[in-house]
Amino acid sequence: MCRCHRVLCKLALRLLFLQHSVKMVPVHAACALLSLAPLLVLGVPPIWTQPEQVHLSYPGVPGSMVVTWTTFNKTESKVEYGLLGGRLFDISAKGDATLFVDSGEEMRKMYIHRVTLTDLKPTATYVYHCGSDDGWSDMFSFTALNDSTSFSPRFAVYGDMGNENPQSLARLQKDTQLGMYDVILHVGDFAYDMHEDNARVGDEFMRQIQSIAAYVPYMTCPGNHESTYNFSNYRNRFSMPGQTESLWYSWNLGSAHIISLSTEVYFYLKFGQELLFKQYEWLKKDLEEANKPENRAVRPWIITMGHRPMYCSDDDQDDCTKFDSYVRLGLNDTKPPAPGLEDLFYRYGVDVELWAHEHTYERLWPVYGDKVYNGSKEQPYVNPKAPVHIITGSAGCREKTDRFNPNPKEWSAFRSTDYGYTRMQVVNATHLYLEQVSDDQYGKVIDSIWVVKEKHGFSAWF
């Protein structure tokens, strides 16, 4: 019994006593007070107009940024912002709210707000808050992305981070506050899982990453842990470029063309086999466009991110442990057979492929067709003859880290079961730097490579 209920009961009993002893208060008055107790216990639902779960994404258009947030009652969608050091909230932008009804038992409703900020000055820092006159968020800041092709963007890269045991999160928060990243790449698997407890786990995870994602664009791709209710929590909560509900898209930054894709179309055919072929055709067209001489000249690096790897040496029987990996080689039991991605990426000269799913870190030698194609014995990543694969799925979740097969294939160059995440910098048209941070070893860099390419595209393999 809650405190207010006890107080009402005592008051009602006292009134009953007075009614019998002094004949002053009628019995029905005391009964009326008792009848109010359940109302006070059950209460009425609170009004939720306060913005939360604030995060940024880059819509792929220079000089712009998308702000996304959640409320649980309908409100206007506004962002007020201004240049750091200038007049606060000098500029205002409006957007729209979309009703998202989770498919869990409670059918919980939430409103996802999206506002696009435009005409931002490259490299300028802006202060903003979001919401409406019914409630404003905390004050955040971000730096508008540099739209120059000579820009050297810095990324944090990881997948498989959950609400429970997000071991790398505190270090990532601190890195972000130190200004170490221009963009975050989350390579699938969020919250574990966003739909659980009628999507409350998803809400709490989005609150957790707000400390990063409200300050730096948080770019995503879907993983297998988003699959419930046809990926509805993922498709509704994030705001990536293009018109595919964040399932696949591409964008440019510095000297890189970055492609985000869904490996899950190879595994969840129940949600539509046509998605697999639709994505493949889109990938082909996107890669063709990126390889036009005038485009590849200014954005020579092509980097992909997808959740399930083509290769891995974990001891768990996942798709990437098999020679005939679906992602790598496709599916033969569909009509028509579904093509895999390895030949496509090789043919169009994809330079670096970022993966997650395995709760480990693994760096591969340049590999194609299950064979190693190093640039040279002494300098394997200088003018490599095949794409470079990085698996970074050890950010931390309730499933802990995975184990490795004690006898990896020859393409496995370095591996670690430490919790951690990857840093990447596209330095210029010829140099790209990658390093792995171990959270278990207090932020120590346990692996690093320079990928050096004097030539990009299919012809670079020969």
Side-chain angles (χ1 to χ4, degrees), residues 316-346:
D316 56 14
Q317 303 305 305
D318 278 349
D319 181 62
C320 53
T321 65
K322 301 165 187 171
F323 176 78
D324 56 350
S325 151
Y326 291 169
V327 176
R328 187 168 83 85
L329 296 179
L331 303 170
N332 290 320
D333 54 357
T334 59
K335 292 184 180 180
L341 299 177
E342 185 174 46
D343 282 348
L344 181 71
F345 288 178
Y346 182 78

PDB file of all heavy atoms in Angstrom, residues 316-346:
ATOM      1  N   ASP A 316      32.233 -20.302 -33.785  1.00  0.00           N
ATOM      2  CA  ASP A 316      30.800 -20.248 -33.453  1.00  0.00           C
ATOM      3  C   ASP A 316      29.871 -20.667 -34.588  1.00  0.00           C
ATOM      4  O   ASP A 316      28.655 -20.526 -34.483  1.00  0.00           O
ATOM      5  CB  ASP A 316      30.418 -18.846 -32.981  1.00  0.00           C
ATOM      6  CG  ASP A 316      30.779 -17.758 -33.995  1.00  0.00           C
ATOM      7  OD1 ASP A 316      31.080 -18.098 -35.162  1.00  0.00           O
ATOM      8  OD2 ASP A 316      30.743 -16.573 -33.620  1.00  0.00           O
ATOM      9  N   GLN A 317      30.417 -21.148 -35.687  1.00  0.00           N
ATOM     10  CA  GLN A 317      29.608 -21.643 -36.808  1.00  0.00           C
ATOM     11  C   GLN A 317      28.760 -20.556 -37.478  1.00  0.00           C
ATOM     12  O   GLN A 317      27.777 -20.856 -38.147  1.00  0.00           O
ATOM     13  CB  GLN A 317      28.688 -22.806 -36.358  1.00  0.00           C
ATOM     14  CG  GLN A 317      29.433 -23.969 -35.746  1.00  0.00           C
ATOM     15  CD  GLN A 317      30.524 -24.512 -36.663  1.00  0.00           C
ATOM     16  OE1 GLN A 317      30.255 -24.869 -37.804  1.00  0.00           O
ATOM     17  NE2 GLN A 317      31.764 -24.558 -36.168  1.00  0.00           N
ATOM     18  N   ASP A 318      29.112 -19.297 -37.281  1.00  0.00           N
ATOM     19  CA  ASP A 318      28.400 -18.228 -37.981  1.00  0.00           C
ATOM     20  C   ASP A 318      28.677 -18.301 -39.478  1.00  0.00           C
ATOM     21  O   ASP A 318      29.597 -18.985 -39.936  1.00  0.00           O
ATOM     22  CB  ASP A 318      28.825 -16.857 -37.439  1.00  0.00           C
ATOM     23  CG  ASP A 318      28.082 -16.494 -36.157  1.00  0.00           C
ATOM     24  OD1 ASP A 318      27.111 -17.191 -35.813  1.00  0.00           O
ATOM     25  OD2 ASP A 318      28.477 -15.501 -35.500  1.00  0.00           O
ATOM     26  N   ASP A 319      27.908 -17.528 -40.241  1.00  0.00           N
ATOM     27  CA  ASP A 319      28.011 -17.549 -41.701  1.00  0.00           C
ATOM     28  C   ASP A 319      29.441 -17.321 -42.169  1.00  0.00           C
ATOM     29  O   ASP A 319      29.912 -17.973 -43.100  1.00  0.00           O
ATOM     30  CB  ASP A 319      27.078 -16.473 -42.275  1.00  0.00           C
ATOM     31  CG  ASP A 319      27.078 -16.429 -43.796  1.00  0.00           C
ATOM     32  OD1 ASP A 319      26.694 -17.435 -44.417  1.00  0.00           O
ATOM     33  OD2 ASP A 319      27.486 -15.392 -44.349  1.00  0.00           O
ATOM     34  N   CYS A 320      30.150 -16.402 -41.503  1.00  0.00           N
ATOM     35  CA  CYS A 320      31.496 -16.038 -41.970  1.00  0.00           C
ATOM     36  C   CYS A 320      32.533 -17.117 -41.705  1.00  0.00           C
ATOM     37  O   CYS A 320      33.660 -17.043 -42.224  1.00  0.00           O
ATOM     38  CB  CYS A 320      31.938 -14.717 -41.332  1.00  0.00           C
ATOM     39  SG  CYS A 320      31.814 -14.693 -39.530  1.00  0.00           S
ATOM     40  N   THR A 321      32.193 -18.127 -40.905  1.00  0.00           N
ATOM     41  CA  THR A 321      33.142 -19.224 -40.655  1.00  0.00           C
ATOM     42  C   THR A 321      33.085 -20.264 -41.777  1.00  0.00           C
ATOM     43  O   THR A 321      33.912 -21.175 -41.817  1.00  0.00           O
ATOM     44  CB  THR A 321      32.839 -19.925 -39.314  1.00  0.00           C
ATOM     45  OG1 THR A 321      31.550 -20.575 -39.404  1.00  0.00           O
ATOM     46  CG2 THR A 321      32.835 -18.939 -38.148  1.00  0.00           C
ATOM     47  N   LYS A 322      32.118 -20.125 -42.668  1.00  0.00           N
ATOM     48  CA  LYS A 322      31.907 -21.133 -43.715  1.00  0.00           C
ATOM     49  C   LYS A 322      32.461 -20.638 -45.047  1.00  0.00           C
ATOM     50  O   LYS A 322      32.335 -19.459 -45.379  1.00  0.00           O
ATOM     51  CB  LYS A 322      30.416 -21.444 -43.845  1.00  0.00           C
ATOM     52  CG  LYS A 322      29.803 -21.964 -42.550  1.00  0.00           C
ATOM     53  CD  LYS A 322      28.293 -21.922 -42.596  1.00  0.00           C
ATOM     54  CE  LYS A 322      27.706 -22.293 -41.236  1.00  0.00           C
ATOM     55  NZ  LYS A 322      26.256 -22.071 -41.166  1.00  0.00           N
ATOM     56  N   PHE A 323      33.016 -21.549 -45.814  1.00  0.00           N
ATOM     57  CA  PHE A 323      33.569 -21.177 -47.111  1.00  0.00           C
ATOM     58  C   PHE A 323      32.483 -20.594 -48.014  1.00  0.00           C
ATOM     59  O   PHE A 323      32.715 -19.644 -48.754  1.00  0.00           O
ATOM     60  CB  PHE A 323      34.225 -22.389 -47.786  1.00  0.00           C
ATOM     61  CG  PHE A 323      34.727 -22.094 -49.169  1.00  0.00           C
ATOM     62  CD1 PHE A 323      35.911 -21.402 -49.357  1.00  0.00           C
ATOM     63  CD2 PHE A 323      33.992 -22.485 -50.290  1.00  0.00           C
ATOM     64  CE1 PHE A 323      36.362 -21.098 -50.637  1.00  0.00           C
ATOM     65  CE2 PHE A 323      34.441 -22.189 -51.572  1.00  0.00           C
ATOM     66  CZ  PHE A 323      35.632 -21.497 -51.744  1.00  0.00           C
ATOM     67  N   ASP A 324      31.287 -21.177 -47.959  1.00  0.00           N
ATOM     68  CA  ASP A 324      30.201 -20.715 -48.826  1.00  0.00           C
ATOM     69  C   ASP A 324      29.308 -19.699 -48.103  1.00  0.00           C
ATOM     70  O   ASP A 324      28.083 -19.795 -48.136  1.00  0.00           O
ATOM     71  CB  ASP A 324      29.379 -21.895 -49.339  1.00  0.00           C
ATOM     72  CG  ASP A 324      28.831 -22.767 -48.219  1.00  0.00           C
ATOM     73  OD1 ASP A 324      29.249 -22.564 -47.046  1.00  0.00           O
ATOM     74  OD2 ASP A 324      27.987 -23.639 -48.497  1.00  0.00           O
ATOM     75  N   SER A 325      29.927 -18.734 -47.467  1.00  0.00           N
ATOM     76  CA  SER A 325      29.195 -17.660 -46.775  1.00  0.00           C
ATOM     77  C   SER A 325      28.153 -17.032 -47.690  1.00  0.00           C
ATOM     78  O   SER A 325      28.424 -16.722 -48.857  1.00  0.00           O
ATOM     79  CB  SER A 325      30.211 -16.592 -46.328  1.00  0.00           C
ATOM     80  OG  SER A 325      29.623 -15.320 -46.268  1.00  0.00           O
ATOM     81  N   TYR A 326      26.949 -16.855 -47.161  1.00  0.00           N
ATOM     82  CA  TYR A 326      25.867 -16.236 -47.940  1.00  0.00           C
ATOM     83  C   TYR A 326      26.245 -14.828 -48.387  1.00  0.00           C
ATOM     84  O   TYR A 326      25.999 -14.434 -49.523  1.00  0.00           O
ATOM     85  CB  TYR A 326      24.586 -16.158 -47.112  1.00  0.00           C
ATOM     86  CG  TYR A 326      23.922 -17.482 -46.805  1.00  0.00           C
ATOM     87  CD1 TYR A 326      22.890 -17.553 -45.867  1.00  0.00           C
ATOM     88  CD2 TYR A 326      24.295 -18.658 -47.447  1.00  0.00           C
ATOM     89  CE1 TYR A 326      22.269 -18.761 -45.572  1.00  0.00           C
ATOM     90  CE2 TYR A 326      23.678 -19.864 -47.157  1.00  0.00           C
ATOM     91  CZ  TYR A 326      22.657 -19.905 -46.212  1.00  0.00           C
ATOM     92  OH  TYR A 326      22.048 -21.087 -45.928  1.00  0.00           O
ATOM     93  N   VAL A 327      26.803 -14.054 -47.455  1.00  0.00           N
ATOM     94  CA  VAL A 327      27.141 -12.659 -47.772  1.00  0.00           C
ATOM     95  C   VAL A 327      28.207 -12.618 -48.861  1.00  0.00           C
ATOM     96  O   VAL A 327      28.147 -11.795 -49.778  1.00  0.00           O
ATOM     97  CB  VAL A 327      27.622 -11.914 -46.510  1.00  0.00           C
ATOM     98  CG1 VAL A 327      28.069 -10.495 -46.845  1.00  0.00           C
ATOM     99  CG2 VAL A 327      26.510 -11.871 -45.461  1.00  0.00           C
ATOM    100  N   ARG A 328      29.138 -13.532 -48.805  1.00  0.00           N
ATOM    101  CA  ARG A 328      30.254 -13.539 -49.761  1.00  0.00           C
ATOM    102  C   ARG A 328      29.842 -14.102 -51.116  1.00  0.00           C
ATOM    103  O   ARG A 328      30.110 -13.501 -52.157  1.00  0.00           O
ATOM    104  CB  ARG A 328      31.412 -14.357 -49.180  1.00  0.00           C
ATOM    105  CG  ARG A 328      32.676 -14.305 -50.007  1.00  0.00           C
ATOM    106  CD  ARG A 328      33.849 -14.882 -49.236  1.00  0.00           C
ATOM    107  NE  ARG A 328      33.933 -16.328 -49.303  1.00  0.00           N
ATOM    108  CZ  ARG A 328      34.526 -17.011 -50.278  1.00  0.00           C
ATOM    109  NH1 ARG A 328      35.071 -16.364 -51.294  1.00  0.00           N
ATOM    110  NH2 ARG A 328      34.577 -18.333 -50.237  1.00  0.00           N
ATOM    111  N   LEU A 329      29.155 -15.263 -51.102  1.00  0.00           N
ATOM    112  CA  LEU A 329      28.898 -15.989 -52.349  1.00  0.00           C
ATOM    113  C   LEU A 329      27.434 -15.995 -52.781  1.00  0.00           C
ATOM    114  O   LEU A 329      27.131 -16.400 -53.903  1.00  0.00           O
ATOM    115  CB  LEU A 329      29.401 -17.428 -52.229  1.00  0.00           C
ATOM    116  CG  LEU A 329      30.921 -17.581 -52.039  1.00  0.00           C
ATOM    117  CD1 LEU A 329      31.288 -19.046 -51.916  1.00  0.00           C
ATOM    118  CD2 LEU A 329      31.683 -16.934 -53.176  1.00  0.00           C
ATOM    119  N   GLY A 330      26.510 -15.588 -51.888  1.00  0.00           N
ATOM    120  CA  GLY A 330      25.105 -15.525 -52.268  1.00  0.00           C
ATOM    121  C   GLY A 330      24.327 -16.785 -51.908  1.00  0.00           C
ATOM    122  O   GLY A 330      24.814 -17.654 -51.172  1.00  0.00           O
ATOM    123  N   LEU A 331      23.115 -16.885 -52.450  1.00  0.00           N
ATOM    124  CA  LEU A 331      22.201 -17.998 -52.159  1.00  0.00           C
ATOM    125  C   LEU A 331      21.856 -18.724 -53.451  1.00  0.00           C
ATOM    126  O   LEU A 331      21.510 -18.097 -54.457  1.00  0.00           O
ATOM    127  CB  LEU A 331      20.906 -17.462 -51.526  1.00  0.00           C
ATOM    128  CG  LEU A 331      21.034 -16.631 -50.237  1.00  0.00           C
ATOM    129  CD1 LEU A 331      19.700 -15.978 -49.899  1.00  0.00           C
ATOM    130  CD2 LEU A 331      21.489 -17.515 -49.086  1.00  0.00           C
ATOM    131  N   ASN A 332      21.938 -20.037 -53.409  1.00  0.00           N
ATOM    132  CA  ASN A 332      21.583 -20.831 -54.588  1.00  0.00           C
ATOM    133  C   ASN A 332      20.166 -21.375 -54.539  1.00  0.00           C
ATOM    134  O   ASN A 332      19.668 -21.910 -55.532  1.00  0.00           O
ATOM    135  CB  ASN A 332      22.569 -22.004 -54.751  1.00  0.00           C
ATOM    136  CG  ASN A 332      23.943 -21.528 -55.154  1.00  0.00           C
ATOM    137  OD1 ASN A 332      24.071 -20.618 -55.976  1.00  0.00           O
ATOM    138  ND2 ASN A 332      24.985 -22.116 -54.571  1.00  0.00           N
ATOM    139  N   ASP A 333      19.508 -21.258 -53.374  1.00  0.00           N
ATOM    140  CA  ASP A 333      18.177 -21.851 -53.233  1.00  0.00           C
ATOM    141  C   ASP A 333      17.058 -20.833 -53.430  1.00  0.00           C
ATOM    142  O   ASP A 333      15.925 -21.059 -53.024  1.00  0.00           O
ATOM    143  CB  ASP A 333      18.040 -22.543 -51.876  1.00  0.00           C
ATOM    144  CG  ASP A 333      18.387 -21.625 -50.714  1.00  0.00           C
ATOM    145  OD1 ASP A 333      18.797 -20.472 -50.970  1.00  0.00           O
ATOM    146  OD2 ASP A 333      18.242 -22.052 -49.552  1.00  0.00           O
ATOM    147  N   THR A 334      17.378 -19.687 -54.017  1.00  0.00           N
ATOM    148  CA  THR A 334      16.332 -18.715 -54.369  1.00  0.00           C
ATOM    149  C   THR A 334      16.148 -18.740 -55.883  1.00  0.00           C
ATOM    150  O   THR A 334      17.018 -19.220 -56.621  1.00  0.00           O
ATOM    151  CB  THR A 334      16.723 -17.296 -53.936  1.00  0.00           C
ATOM    152  OG1 THR A 334      17.954 -16.926 -54.580  1.00  0.00           O
ATOM    153  CG2 THR A 334      16.891 -17.195 -52.434  1.00  0.00           C
ATOM    154  N   LYS A 335      15.017 -18.234 -56.333  1.00  0.00           N
ATOM    155  CA  LYS A 335      14.754 -18.148 -57.772  1.00  0.00           C
ATOM    156  C   LYS A 335      14.518 -16.686 -58.143  1.00  0.00           C
ATOM    157  O   LYS A 335      13.534 -16.100 -57.710  1.00  0.00           O
ATOM    158  CB  LYS A 335      13.531 -18.991 -58.135  1.00  0.00           C
ATOM    159  CG  LYS A 335      13.778 -20.473 -57.977  1.00  0.00           C
ATOM    160  CD  LYS A 335      12.578 -21.279 -58.442  1.00  0.00           C
ATOM    161  CE  LYS A 335      12.827 -22.781 -58.284  1.00  0.00           C
ATOM    162  NZ  LYS A 335      11.662 -23.576 -58.727  1.00  0.00           N
ATOM    163  N   PRO A 336      15.437 -16.107 -58.922  1.00  0.00           N
ATOM    164  CA  PRO A 336      16.712 -16.663 -59.391  1.00  0.00           C
ATOM    165  C   PRO A 336      17.712 -16.731 -58.243  1.00  0.00           C
ATOM    166  O   PRO A 336      17.478 -16.151 -57.183  1.00  0.00           O
ATOM    167  CB  PRO A 336      17.147 -15.640 -60.448  1.00  0.00           C
ATOM    168  CG  PRO A 336      16.561 -14.351 -59.981  1.00  0.00           C
ATOM    169  CD  PRO A 336      15.236 -14.713 -59.369  1.00  0.00           C
ATOM    170  N   PRO A 337      18.855 -17.410 -58.416  1.00  0.00           N
ATOM    171  CA  PRO A 337      19.877 -17.422 -57.374  1.00  0.00           C
ATOM    172  C   PRO A 337      20.308 -16.003 -57.023  1.00  0.00           C
ATOM    173  O   PRO A 337      20.395 -15.129 -57.896  1.00  0.00           O
ATOM    174  CB  PRO A 337      21.023 -18.210 -58.021  1.00  0.00           C
ATOM    175  CG  PRO A 337      20.363 -19.045 -59.065  1.00  0.00           C
ATOM    176  CD  PRO A 337      19.228 -18.225 -59.590  1.00  0.00           C
ATOM    177  N   ALA A 338      20.575 -15.760 -55.742  1.00  0.00           N
ATOM    178  CA  ALA A 338      20.911 -14.414 -55.269  1.00  0.00           C
ATOM    179  C   ALA A 338      22.428 -14.238 -55.246  1.00  0.00           C
ATOM    180  O   ALA A 338      23.132 -15.025 -54.615  1.00  0.00           O
ATOM    181  CB  ALA A 338      20.339 -14.196 -53.878  1.00  0.00           C
ATOM    182  N   PRO A 339      22.947 -13.217 -55.924  1.00  0.00           N
ATOM    183  CA  PRO A 339      24.400 -13.037 -55.953  1.00  0.00           C
ATOM    184  C   PRO A 339      24.942 -12.549 -54.618  1.00  0.00           C
ATOM    185  O   PRO A 339      24.290 -11.793 -53.891  1.00  0.00           O
ATOM    186  CB  PRO A 339      24.595 -11.968 -57.040  1.00  0.00           C
ATOM    187  CG  PRO A 339      23.301 -11.216 -57.078  1.00  0.00           C
ATOM    188  CD  PRO A 339      22.234 -12.201 -56.710  1.00  0.00           C
ATOM    189  N   GLY A 340      26.145 -12.987 -54.288  1.00  0.00           N
ATOM    190  CA  GLY A 340      26.828 -12.481 -53.100  1.00  0.00           C
ATOM    191  C   GLY A 340      27.523 -11.159 -53.400  1.00  0.00           C
ATOM    192  O   GLY A 340      27.425 -10.615 -54.508  1.00  0.00           O
ATOM    193  N   LEU A 341      28.259 -10.671 -52.415  1.00  0.00           N
ATOM    194  CA  LEU A 341      28.821  -9.324 -52.530  1.00  0.00           C
ATOM    195  C   LEU A 341      30.315  -9.296 -52.838  1.00  0.00           C
ATOM    196  O   LEU A 341      30.839  -8.254 -53.243  1.00  0.00           O
ATOM    197  CB  LEU A 341      28.558  -8.554 -51.223  1.00  0.00           C
ATOM    198  CG  LEU A 341      27.077  -8.360 -50.854  1.00  0.00           C
ATOM    199  CD1 LEU A 341      26.967  -7.641 -49.514  1.00  0.00           C
ATOM    200  CD2 LEU A 341      26.339  -7.598 -51.938  1.00  0.00           C
ATOM    201  N   GLU A 342      31.025 -10.404 -52.657  1.00  0.00           N
ATOM    202  CA  GLU A 342      32.484 -10.333 -52.814  1.00  0.00           C
ATOM    203  C   GLU A 342      32.902  -9.965 -54.233  1.00  0.00           C
ATOM    204  O   GLU A 342      33.729  -9.070 -54.438  1.00  0.00           O
ATOM    205  CB  GLU A 342      33.148 -11.642 -52.401  1.00  0.00           C
ATOM    206  CG  GLU A 342      34.674 -11.510 -52.460  1.00  0.00           C
ATOM    207  CD  GLU A 342      35.417 -12.713 -51.926  1.00  0.00           C
ATOM    208  OE1 GLU A 342      35.046 -13.852 -52.280  1.00  0.00           O
ATOM    209  OE2 GLU A 342      36.366 -12.520 -51.148  1.00  0.00           O
ATOM    210  N   ASP A 343      32.342 -10.630 -55.223  1.00  0.00           N
ATOM    211  CA  ASP A 343      32.726 -10.331 -56.610  1.00  0.00           C
ATOM    212  C   ASP A 343      32.356  -8.893 -56.983  1.00  0.00           C
ATOM    213  O   ASP A 343      33.122  -8.212 -57.673  1.00  0.00           O
ATOM    214  CB  ASP A 343      32.056 -11.312 -57.570  1.00  0.00           C
ATOM    215  CG  ASP A 343      32.750 -12.675 -57.592  1.00  0.00           C
ATOM    216  OD1 ASP A 343      33.869 -12.773 -57.044  1.00  0.00           O
ATOM    217  OD2 ASP A 343      32.166 -13.629 -58.145  1.00  0.00           O
ATOM    218  N   LEU A 344      31.185  -8.458 -56.541  1.00  0.00           N
ATOM    219  CA  LEU A 344      30.743  -7.096 -56.850  1.00  0.00           C
ATOM    220  C   LEU A 344      31.710  -6.070 -56.275  1.00  0.00           C
ATOM    221  O   LEU A 344      32.133  -5.135 -56.966  1.00  0.00           O
ATOM    222  CB  LEU A 344      29.339  -6.872 -56.281  1.00  0.00           C
ATOM    223  CG  LEU A 344      28.713  -5.495 -56.540  1.00  0.00           C
ATOM    224  CD1 LEU A 344      28.341  -5.350 -58.013  1.00  0.00           C
ATOM    225  CD2 LEU A 344      27.481  -5.289 -55.663  1.00  0.00           C
ATOM    226  N   PHE A 345      32.084  -6.235 -55.013  1.00  0.00           N
ATOM    227  CA  PHE A 345      32.979  -5.271 -54.363  1.00  0.00           C
ATOM    228  C   PHE A 345      34.383  -5.325 -54.983  1.00  0.00           C
ATOM    229  O   PHE A 345      35.034  -4.295 -55.117  1.00  0.00           O
ATOM    230  CB  PHE A 345      33.052  -5.554 -52.855  1.00  0.00           C
ATOM    231  CG  PHE A 345      31.787  -5.192 -52.105  1.00  0.00           C
ATOM    232  CD1 PHE A 345      31.692  -5.432 -50.744  1.00  0.00           C
ATOM    233  CD2 PHE A 345      30.706  -4.616 -52.739  1.00  0.00           C
ATOM    234  CE1 PHE A 345      30.551  -5.104 -50.035  1.00  0.00           C
ATOM    235  CE2 PHE A 345      29.546  -4.282 -52.047  1.00  0.00           C
ATOM    236  CZ  PHE A 345      29.462  -4.524 -50.681  1.00  0.00           C
ATOM    237  N   TYR A 346      34.815  -6.509 -55.356  1.00  0.00           N
ATOM    238  CA  TYR A 346      36.137  -6.647 -55.986  1.00  0.00           C
ATOM    239  C   TYR A 346      36.145  -5.976 -57.367  1.00  0.00           C
ATOM    240  O   TYR A 346      37.086  -5.251 -57.716  1.00  0.00           O
ATOM    241  CB  TYR A 346      36.475  -8.129 -56.101  1.00  0.00           C
ATOM    242  CG  TYR A 346      37.833  -8.434 -56.677  1.00  0.00           C
ATOM    243  CD1 TYR A 346      38.987  -8.316 -55.894  1.00  0.00           C
ATOM    244  CD2 TYR A 346      37.969  -8.863 -58.004  1.00  0.00           C
ATOM    245  CE1 TYR A 346      40.245  -8.616 -56.428  1.00  0.00           C
ATOM    246  CE2 TYR A 346      39.219  -9.162 -58.534  1.00  0.00           C
ATOM    247  CZ  TYR A 346      40.349  -9.028 -57.744  1.00  0.00           C
ATOM    248  OH  TYR A 346      41.588  -9.330 -58.274  1.00  0.00           O
TER     249      TYR A 346
END
